[in-house]
Amino acid sequence: MTSPENPFEASASALGYLYQLRVALQRCVELSRGGIEWSVAIEATDDVQALVGSRTELTQLKKRADNVRLTDLSQDLWKTLRVWSHAVTEGQIDLAETNFYLITTAELPEDSAGFLLQPKASGHRDEQAAEALIVRARQSSKSTTLDKAFKAFDALGEQRRAELISRIEVIGDAPGMDSIREELLGYASLAVERRFAESFLQRLEGWFFERASVQMSFPGSDPVSGAEFDELFNDLRNQIGEHNLPIDPDIAALTAAAPAAADAADKVFVHQLRLIDVGAERIGYAVRDWVRAFAQRSRWVNENLLRAGEIGAYERRLVEEWQSRFAEMREDLGDEAAEEEMKREARLIYRWVDREARLRIRTGCEEVFVVKGSYQMLADELRVGWHPDFSVRLAALLEPAGAADGRA
């Protein structure tokens, strides 16, 4: 529960959670480059837990303000040692098959255990010296706050304590959230054209954050697997490129009850359907397709995923596909057709849109609502229609308010 005296506690917690998710996603991307035999879980045995083949990686994350130092008596260090010591003592992990990582944004002082437990590549690693510093800090401290951590560490015994410390790597001055995202953006630019990297990463993050939330909400649920991540990654890469466009799940899930559909009853395309006696249920489906197509096309435009003039060219093709069918209908009806006959034939034209018209904006973009919704958008502008006399009967709906009254 957030303390009323500290209004920033909740936001700090949220930032920590976001940092945790970004680090986990970064690890997924790194692991995916070596194959699919891995999995990543959040808040399982540790903040981030990865299983790579037979080996387990346990990662503790400590996001701290600038100018913070990880000393030998830092709570971050000892809380981490408590978690790992307890897991080893209770047999929750196989010490011989586990690597431990403490990633902190804090600085590592040169005379500290954390500094001496940096990866070998740093040139500073000295496990025995680090162990000696940790033991000395534990023996010299009278802190009651760290008492539980000290007891968990003592319970290991000398042999397991030495083995645990030999398997710990401390990464200090770790990149912050913005830096991690820049790295992820770099990975994204290798998957798709650089101009599409931001759109790709937004969708990858959205999927991963939702997937991680589900995994954390249901203890025992499956972690993110390498095969699952690889499938999603490749699917996104195939969606964003020269021959395809992404279909976003949140948009594909919109219904005729969505807020954007609230004013649809007065839309011209709805009047078009009522003019030929299309039923309320099918009008609801038309509104749904219109809502989805409008939202998805708007997002493509906002993210610069479309080529210059691409929407215009697509709409021209849609109109031309409709024109020949509409002209044939009017020709068959002639000038003396009864109203019911005109409506019946008009419903056949609309049935073609509903069931058969599948002209794609790009060859790989197969989502049906893009086509059907785009036709509703064109019908809303009276560029296409269903009733043989739709343009005459509905033209008044597009006139500016008061235009008719102002005529001479």
Side-chain angles (χ1 to χ4, degrees):
M1 181 178 297
T2 304
S3 168
E5 289 80 16
N6 186 2
F8 302 105
E9 184 178 337
S11 59
S13 176
L15 287 173
Y17 173 62
L18 180 58
Y19 183 71
Q20 183 179 5
L21 290 174
R22 285 232 170 113
V23 170
L25 175 57
Q26 182 185 41
R27 189 58 182 139
C28 286
V29 172
E30 291 169 349
L31 290 171
S32 71
R33 301 170 77 180
I36 61 173
E37 299 301 320
W38 55 269
S39 65
V40 169
I42 298 176
E43 296 291 353
T45 304
D46 221 326
D47 289 342
V48 178
Q49 176 179 333
L51 182 63
V52 186
S54 62
R55 301 197 63 79
T56 299
E57 298 177 357
L58 296 183
T59 302
Q60 280 274 321
L61 303 172
K62 304 298 179 184
K63 184 181 183 302
R64 293 294 175 256
D66 295 339
N67 303 319
V68 172
R69 293 154 56 90
L70 187 81
T71 67
D72 296 340
L73 282 172
S74 291
Q75 288 193 28
D76 283 352
L77 174 63
W78 281 99
K79 285 181 178 179
T80 299
L81 288 173
R82 177 188 173 187
V83 170
W84 291 340
S85 298
H86 180 77
V88 171
T89 303
E90 295 298 316
Q92 297 173 358
I93 56 176
D94 181 352
L95 189 53
E97 293 291 334
T98 305
N99 294 329
F100 303 85
Y101 300 94
L102 170 57
I103 299 178
T104 177
T105 54
E107 177 189 348
L108 304 179
E110 289 191 13
D111 58 348
S112 69
F115 183 83
L116 297 174
L117 288 178
Q118 293 180 93
K120 288 182 179 179
S122 69
H124 303 299
R125 189 169 181 85
D126 188 334
E127 296 161 8
Q128 292 183 339
E131 181 183 2
L133 289 173
I134 292 172
V135 171
R136 184 187 309 162
R138 184 265 174 272
Q139 293 173 343
S140 65
S141 175
K142 299 295 190 284
S143 171
T144 57
T145 304
L146 300 177
D147 186 58
K148 291 182 178 179
F150 292 154
K151 289 179 179 178
F153 185 68
D154 292 343
L156 287 173
E158 290 187 15
Q159 182 175 343
R160 286 191 299 184
R161 180 183 71 198
E163 188 172 0
L164 171 62
I165 291 175
S166 73
R167 295 187 174 279
I168 295 174
E169 289 190 8
V170 179
I171 294 96
D173 290 317
M177 284 189 296
D178 292 342
S179 296
I180 292 175
R181 197 174 193 283
E182 283 300 313
E183 289 185 25
L184 290 171
L185 202 57
Y187 291 132
S189 68
L190 297 176
V192 296
E193 292 182 50
R194 185 170 296 277
R195 62 194 176 105
F196 299 140
E198 178 63 36
S199 295
F200 179 91
L201 182 55
Q202 284 181 11
R203 288 165 175 81
L204 181 64
E205 283 186 326
W207 170 83
F208 183 78
F209 290 1
E210 182 175 349
R211 177 64 176 80
S213 296
V214 171
Q215 182 252 305
M216 287 165 37
S217 300
F218 299 96
S221 60
D222 292 335
V224 175
S225 70
E228 177 186 13
F229 189 84
D230 186 67
E231 181 179 355
L232 185 281
F233 195 93
N234 286 327
D235 184 51
L236 282 179
R237 181 167 53 192
N238 291 335
Q239 284 188 47
I240 301 178
E242 181 180 355
H243 301 295
N244 206 347
L245 286 164
I247 300 298
D248 296 309
D250 61 318
I251 290 177
L254 292 173
T255 69
D263 298 327
D266 292 327
K267 287 289 183 181
V268 175
F269 77 90
V270 172
H271 285 288
Q272 288 236 44
L273 296 174
R274 289 176 182 154
L275 187 61
I276 61 172
D277 296 337
V278 171
E281 184 176 2
R282 292 177 68 204
I283 288 177
Y285 297 148
V287 171
R288 177 198 64 192
D289 293 333
W290 171 77
V291 167
R292 291 175 179 176
F294 187 88
Q296 189 66 77
R297 284 170 47 162
S298 296
R299 188 172 292 178
W300 290 339
V301 169
N302 291 337
E303 295 182 14
N304 296 315
L305 294 176
L306 295 169
R307 308 181 192 100
E310 187 169 13
I311 286 289
Y314 179 56
E315 290 183 341
R316 175 189 57 76
R317 291 159 58 207
L318 291 176
V319 170
E320 290 179 356
E321 282 282 307
W322 163 85
Q323 281 175 332
S324 60
R325 289 170 173 81
F326 187 75
E328 182 181 357
M329 175 189 69
R330 295 188 66 173
E331 185 177 292
D332 290 344
L333 284 171
D335 297 330
E336 304 299 328
E339 180 66 16
E340 284 306 312
E341 187 180 3
M342 288 194 288
K343 288 182 178 180
R344 183 174 62 252
E345 293 301 314
R347 284 195 294 271
L348 291 177
I349 294 288
Y350 183 64
R351 181 181 296 179
W352 165 76
V353 168
D354 210 26
R355 296 184 181 182
E356 301 175 40
R358 297 296 180 264
L359 193 63
R360 302 173 186 175
I361 186 169
R362 290 188 188 170
T363 55
C365 188
E366 300 178 351
E367 183 54 61
V368 174
F369 76 69
V370 175
V371 187
K372 294 164 68 172
S374 292
Y375 266 116
Q376 301 301 345
M377 295 169 72
L378 290 169
D380 202 55
E381 299 172 2
L382 293 184
R383 293 172 64 189
V384 304
W386 326 122
H387 192 284
D389 295 328
F390 76 91
S391 58
V392 174
R393 298 194 185 191
L394 297 175
L397 292 174
L398 292 184
E399 291 183 357
D405 295 338
R407 291 196 188 102

